[in-house]
Amino acid sequence: MFKFFVSVIILVCTLLSADVNDFRFEVITTRNGLSDNEISAISNDGRGFIWLGTNEGLNRYDGYDVTVYNSNPFDATALSGNRIWDIYKDTSGDIWALTDKGLDRYIYGKNKFRRFRTESRPTFVTQDFEGILWVATENNGLYSINKETGESKNYIFDPSDPYSISSNQFDQEQFNPIVVDTSGNLWVGTLNGLNYYHKEKDFFQRFKSAGNPSEPNYISDNHINTLMVRDNDVYIGTPRGLDKLHIGDFSITHYAGTQWFSALNSYSVNQILDFGSQASMAGFWVSTTTGMVFYNAAFDMFEDLAWDYLFGQYIKSAFVDPSGNLWIDVLAFPGLVHFNTSSFFANSGLFNETDFQLLQPNTEGVLIKVVEPESISNAEVNDLFIDDFKNIWVGTQMGLNHLIKSTKSFVSFTSESSKIKGANIRSVKIAKDNSLWISHEKGLDHLSDNQNLIKHYTSDPTNINSLLTEETNALAITAD
């Protein structure tokens, strides 16, 4: 949990979306305790920590201190490898680190890891509605892991079995190659075909390309770059186009050259992202090798997001934040493009030049606004993550950037103005339910998320279940 050390009064800061003209980032590097400046992956957990993957181990950041976890060949409960390719947070808030050798689950309370070998580097992890983890690997097929029992199963391509998975190969360039539809069905996109997993009968149904991207009831290409579920359809992005597979009857619609007409005659899709729940307009984003495209569901049409520094550019990745704004990583230059989508959604796809901001790292690695992008070596963006508190974290080759968001106004709670029993505040912690625990010279207070006093804890020599002393200092919130 993030640490806050204040005295005399508690300062509670309300966090809102940052003003588009006032981005302020702070950078965290090896000088702050990170094991390596190149951040490969970012996640948070269900207990308030930020987890960072590097080439030199796994880092846990609590807002103040960094704890580093490394591999140890003599300790089977340590990480299985120091190179962390990605980090996955499951639905229980547990953290899984993807290493060269497999998947490692962090065991809270014991400060150890449980290893699950995959015999090939894992590239992607997701979880179905029943809590089973599904793991794609570079060349050893698909794994399922039952978190509760620890059992795992490997699904591999068998040329003699038409109901086996269509390929053993996945790669790290794929976005969401495994998705779960609204009925709980599993769809798996490999480097050689799309697969629908019939869980009740334990077999795969394959969907392949006929060689012609416009051939009906075939997907446009066997190389699956990305998948997205929307309503009762699966959207499939490939190097040769965008397809929609209707789950009810498995009919396939091809968009490239029929409803989507690229100005550059290029239809290679890298990523598909829904506009998000905050958008007042239905549709989705499509990252391509020649720019950003959007689908307007109201008009059933595709259009280019024709801004100068995006049009014609290879889009490495894009992210939608909780406000519906878009963060875009462009191959041609390091840094990020931020697109404030407020007027875009309000005006059915129209935008202003001022809606875009270019952010690039300075010599210290801090992301700052620039007018025109510059070529900067060893400053690429590796990951962007938005935590449960809507904080934005950007991992680059130069360190970790944290977007500072604040109204710059504070609300003060003192023993005179509120129900807090003490004045000298020693420590503050935020629990998983967003309630506050506050230690001070008169004991311990538990406040609700709207700052109402739930209970005051103090020392009582006649009660063995009370505090040992009223003088309380640092707090720690742990889990079983």
Side-chain angles (χ1 to χ4, degrees):
M1 181 59 60
F2 292 103
K3 292 184 178 179
F4 300 90
F5 294 100
V6 293
S7 61
V8 184
I9 61 173
I10 299 175
L11 301 177
V12 180
C13 178
T14 303
L15 295 180
L16 298 176
S17 297
D19 189 310
V20 69
N21 295 313
D22 189 30
F23 284 117
R24 291 188 302 126
F25 285 88
E26 62 177 354
V27 68
I28 301 160
T29 67
T30 52
R31 294 191 296 269
N32 306 97
L34 292 182
S35 59
D36 187 16
N37 280 340
E38 182 162 358
I39 309 298
S40 57
I42 311 171
S43 185
N44 66 343
D45 58 20
R47 296 155 180 85
F49 294 105
I50 292 292
W51 292 82
L52 310 167
T54 75
N55 290 334
E56 299 295 337
L58 183 66
N59 296 247
R60 189 182 71 188
Y61 180 57
D62 63 8
Y64 187 78
D65 294 319
V66 177
T67 302
V68 178
Y69 298 91
N70 291 112
S71 175
N72 184 342
F74 304 105
D75 184 359
T77 66
L79 281 172
S80 60
N82 279 332
R83 177 173 287 185
I84 309 299
W85 291 100
D86 205 353
I87 302 169
Y88 178 72
K89 179 179 77 170
D90 66 26
T91 54
S92 300
D94 287 342
I95 286 295
W96 301 71
L98 283 66
T99 73
D100 281 319
K101 300 177 181 179
L103 199 63
D104 298 348
R105 176 191 172 195
Y106 179 70
I107 308 299
Y108 290 89
K110 297 183 179 179
N111 210 30
K112 297 178 180 180
F113 293 87
R114 180 172 182 181
R115 302 175 180 178
F116 294 86
R117 289 190 64 88
T118 56
E119 306 302 331
S120 176
R121 175 187 154 189
T123 61
F124 181 81
V125 183
T126 194
Q127 195 170 13
D128 65 21
F129 295 163
E130 296 176 1
I132 303 299
L133 272 71
W134 295 89
V135 186
T137 69
E138 277 193 331
N139 51 44
N140 200 43
L142 179 72
Y143 282 81
S144 65
I145 296 176
N146 187 316
K147 175 183 171 181
E148 302 304 323
T149 65
E151 296 179 357
S152 65
K153 183 176 180 179
N154 186 203
Y155 302 85
I156 59 174
F157 169 66
D158 181 351
S160 64
D161 182 3
Y163 296 108
S164 65
I165 194 168
S166 63
S167 173
N168 289 333
Q169 295 183 316
F170 301 82
D171 69 33
Q172 66 275 11
E173 303 300 325
Q174 292 176 292
F175 289 92
N176 292 336
I178 309 171
V179 293
V180 182
D181 67 27
T182 53
S183 299
N185 303 308
L186 198 73
W187 296 83
V188 183
T190 73
L191 301 189
N192 188 30
L194 176 68
N195 301 262
Y196 168 55
Y197 179 56
H198 293 258
K199 185 178 292 187
E200 69 285 353
K201 296 183 179 179
D202 194 28
F203 76 88
F204 291 89
Q205 179 178 347
R206 302 173 185 173
F207 297 87
K208 302 291 286 288
S209 168
N212 182 353
S214 62
E215 187 73 23
N217 293 323
Y218 289 89
I219 58 176
S220 57
D221 195 275
N222 286 328
H223 187 123
I224 309 300
N225 285 335
T226 184
L227 298 174
M228 183 188 75
V229 172
R230 191 167 183 266
D231 299 326
N232 203 35
D233 300 306
V234 178
Y235 288 83
I236 308 154
T238 78
R240 302 177 74 185
L242 176 68
D243 307 325
K244 180 178 73 174
L245 187 152
H246 185 64
I247 297 170
D249 58 8
F250 298 143
S251 60
I252 297 173
T253 302
H254 302 293
Y255 286 117
T258 58
Q259 290 175 258
W260 171 21
F261 298 96
S262 169
L264 300 175
N265 196 32
S266 175
Y267 298 98
S268 182
V269 176
N270 292 335
Q271 189 178 8
I272 314 167
L273 290 169
D274 193 85
F275 282 161
S277 59
Q278 297 299 316
S280 57
M281 171 177 158
F284 54 80
W285 303 104
V286 183
S287 302
T288 78
T289 55
T290 53
M292 289 297 301
V293 175
F294 65 92
Y295 172 69
N296 186 332
F299 299 117
D300 194 24
M301 63 184 297
F302 292 84
E303 291 188 55
D304 291 303
L305 190 62
W307 187 60
D308 288 348
Y309 294 113
L310 291 178
F311 185 70
Q313 297 293 333
Y314 188 109
I315 307 300
K316 291 172 59 181
S317 58
F319 310 84
V320 175
D321 69 23
S323 299
N325 298 321
L326 197 61
W327 299 77
I328 307 164
D329 185 9
V330 179
L331 179 63
F333 51 85
L336 291 166
V337 174
H338 177 265
F339 177 38
N340 186 322
T341 56
S342 298
S343 62
F344 174 86
F345 290 133
N347 296 288
S348 299
L350 299 178
F351 62 85
N352 301 311
E353 290 289 317
T354 55
D355 294 336
F356 293 89
Q357 291 287 339
L358 286 167
L359 299 165
Q360 287 196 289
N362 62 13
T363 55
E364 297 298 316
V366 180
L367 286 171
I368 60 172
K369 291 188 298 180
V370 297
V371 177
E372 293 185 359
E374 298 179 2
S375 178
I376 306 171
S377 61
N378 300 318
E380 291 184 5
V381 170
N382 292 329
D383 197 13
L384 185 149
F385 178 75
I386 302 165
D387 67 25
D388 295 339
F389 300 99
K390 300 183 181 180
N391 298 303
I392 294 176
W393 306 80
V394 183
T396 75
Q397 292 178 308
M398 301 175 69
L400 175 70
N401 274 261
H402 175 212
L403 179 61
I404 303 169
K405 304 181 298 178
S406 174
T407 60
K408 300 179 183 176
S409 63
F410 294 88
V411 179
S412 177
F413 295 88
T414 68
S415 56
E416 290 78 21
S417 66
S418 72
K419 295 181 179 179
I420 296 173
K421 302 300 182 182
N424 187 9
I425 308 302
R426 272 66 178 275
S427 185
V428 180
K429 294 294 180 183
I430 305 175
K432 191 174 181 180
D433 60 359
N434 288 328
S435 62
L436 294 172
W437 290 87
I438 304 164
S439 67
H440 46 70
E441 83 283 4
K442 293 185 178 180
L444 180 67
D445 291 335
H446 185 199
L447 275 65
S448 65
D449 57 359
N450 57 359
Q451 287 82 55
N452 290 321
L453 183 67
I454 297 173
K455 188 171 182 179
H456 172 65
Y457 297 87
T458 187
S459 176
D460 181 353
T462 65
N463 184 359
I464 62 172
N465 294 316
S466 69
L467 291 173
L468 183 64
T469 175
E470 287 188 349
E471 290 283 340
T472 55
N473 289 294
L475 299 174
I477 296 178
T478 62
D480 293 336

